[in-house]
Amino acid sequence: GGSADAGGLTGRNLIINGAMQVAQRGTSSASAGINSVDRWNAAFGGSGAAVTQSQESLSSSDAPYALGLRNYFRSTVTGTSTDTSAYHQILQYVEAQNMAQSGWNLTSTSSFITLSFWVRSSVAGTYAFYVESMDGTPQAYSHSFTLSANTWTKVTETMPGNSNITINNDNGQGLLVDVVAHFGTDYTTSGSTEDAWKQFDGADVFKDYGQNWLNTSGATFDLTGFQLEVGSTATDFGHRSYGEELALCQRYHYSVQGATGQVPELFGYAYAANSHVIFVPFVRQMRAAPSLDASGTFTGYNSSNIGDNTITFSSNTFGKDSASIIVNNFTASAGTPSRIVLLDGDKLNFSAEL
């Protein structure tokens, strides 16, 4: 009877990429935002603060490894800050309609959601996470946990609904799930209410635990096995295949990349002597019309198969299903076919993140 609850049910986890296995953008970045592991935003700030985010591999001696987890998200302090405004958070927004249709009765105190994850820090101390509803008057729920240095710990918290919570049935931000490695005192209050819902206040997110993670050069903070599910019980982590997880991630980010042995070609036509339109179909419908970030040296070919690697992208028209990219600087006759080729290191990144 109980085995079904503990099995790998693909629809149970409202968190996407909770096993940290998909990293379309790359395995590491020194920039804030979603720049390594898909869907996970590494936000940091404060004078001098710098954090590198990366996708790492678990070893067989790590506790989550025995549960079938193989990757984790790591933050590493590369620049310290003692500012009262210093912070580092690892967060994900759950799309509103996924929360609204999850089966959680968000306004009922007898309906529950349960968050569970594995966490490790090189700096012993008390840390916290909070969740925040993003519609109406935002409501927040925080919970603290204590870590020994360099020790994987599982954190579990069950949260009831509350009549003040609003989550719209749309494709916007629904629920923020945020693990905090460091908060300066600008965001904390000694008498803060925890383990209960309250109206969100950015100056009173949770109690002041004297966090010093961002003060410690080289400090690390690791997360994996992240699961948010409806109900009052934390079940075993629901594994999804890499293909399933990638497909979920591609709603928010779709990357076309060149690599050794992988040379994508995208086709279009010249509509003027030096201007072309190139079409990019998406493998699945994105959450919203995305933005484009292009990096690399792209090569364009006209109908005579003459190549030019000085092409530039000037504008584009995007929908949820495809993009039309305007490409300049290679010569052709209007109305003739053309194409661009992505070699190793060339990337077209389409982002529709929350």
Side-chain angles (χ1 to χ4, degrees):
S3 60
D5 290 336
L9 304 180
T10 59
R12 185 174 70 241
N13 193 358
L14 292 163
I15 294 292
I16 294 174
N17 206 23
M20 314 299 179
Q21 59 186 316
V22 178
Q24 293 185 79
R25 296 166 179 84
T27 56
S28 67
S29 174
S31 300
I34 305 176
N35 282 306
S36 60
V37 178
D38 275 57
R39 304 291 297 119
W40 292 100
N41 186 330
F44 62 85
S47 178
V51 175
T52 295
Q53 55 176 299
S54 58
Q55 180 195 49
E56 305 289 345
S57 297
L58 290 162
S59 69
S60 58
S61 61
D62 289 323
Y65 187 94
L67 305 175
L69 295 161
R70 293 296 181 267
N71 298 103
Y72 63 95
F73 183 103
R74 166 161 282 191
S75 299
T76 304
V77 176
T78 54
T80 60
S81 179
T82 57
D83 280 4
T84 57
S85 63
Y87 66 91
H88 177 50
Q89 306 158 266
I90 304 96
L91 59 98
Q92 180 172 142
Y93 288 100
V94 181
E95 190 170 338
Q97 58 192 347
N98 293 348
M99 290 303 307
Q101 300 179 48
S102 67
W104 177 42
N105 184 347
L106 51 94
T107 63
S108 171
T109 57
S110 60
S111 184
F112 300 91
I113 54 170
T114 297
L115 183 66
S116 56
F117 58 89
W118 286 86
V119 58
R120 175 177 65 179
S121 176
S122 63
V123 179
T126 300
Y127 298 84
F129 75 79
Y130 71 97
V131 300
E132 178 189 350
S133 61
M134 303 306 295
D135 293 314
T137 301
Q139 305 296 309
Y141 185 111
S142 66
H143 175 73
S144 64
F145 50 92
T146 300
L147 302 178
S148 300
N150 300 308
T151 303
W152 281 107
T153 301
K154 187 175 184 181
V155 175
T156 299
E157 178 68 2
T158 296
M159 298 164 279
N162 183 281
S163 59
N164 294 317
I165 296 172
T166 300
I167 295 177
N168 296 333
N169 187 27
D170 61 22
N171 69 341
Q173 296 175 346
L175 190 74
L176 168 64
V177 181
D178 194 329
V179 180
V180 180
H182 184 104
F183 259 176
T185 53
D186 285 4
Y187 317 107
T188 62
T189 304
S190 60
S192 185
T193 299
E194 296 190 335
D195 296 331
W197 290 98
K198 65 179 181 181
Q199 185 172 323
F200 177 76
D201 180 350
D204 177 22
V205 183
F206 51 74
K207 293 180 181 179
D208 179 9
Y209 290 113
Q211 291 176 316
N212 59 4
W213 185 84
L214 202 44
N215 308 345
T216 307
S217 181
T220 57
F221 194 86
D222 304 329
L223 290 168
T224 194
F226 222 99
Q227 183 154 283
L228 178 67
E229 57 193 308
V230 175
S232 57
T233 302
T235 63
D236 292 345
F237 184 79
H239 292 276
R240 289 190 280 249
S241 71
Y242 180 88
E244 290 174 303
E245 208 71 73
L246 175 62
L248 292 172
C249 292
Q250 285 173 329
R251 176 169 172 78
Y252 306 92
H253 182 87
Y254 175 54
S255 184
V256 184
Q257 301 183 10
T260 301
Q262 175 179 298
V263 185
E265 292 187 313
L266 300 169
F267 296 87
Y269 67 93
Y271 65 88
N274 292 293
S275 299
H276 305 244
V277 60
I278 298 293
F279 301 102
V280 185
F282 302 147
V283 293
R284 64 196 65 262
Q285 187 178 86
M286 301 193 74
R287 181 191 65 86
S291 60
L292 170 65
D293 175 41
S295 60
T297 302
F298 299 84
T299 302
Y301 291 90
N302 62 21
S303 59
S304 299
N305 206 36
I306 297 173
D308 189 332
N309 63 4
T310 63
I311 64 173
T312 59
F313 301 125
S314 64
S315 62
N316 48 69
T317 302
F318 291 165
K320 293 181 180 180
D321 300 294
S322 63
S324 299
I325 303 173
I326 304 304
V327 183
N328 300 309
N329 285 357
F330 65 110
T331 304
S333 299
T336 59
S338 57
R339 60 193 169 96
I340 62 172
V341 175
L342 281 68
L343 300 176
D344 191 13
D346 296 343
K347 295 182 180 181
L348 294 174
N349 287 321
F350 299 91
S351 180
E353 297 286 355
L354 288 161

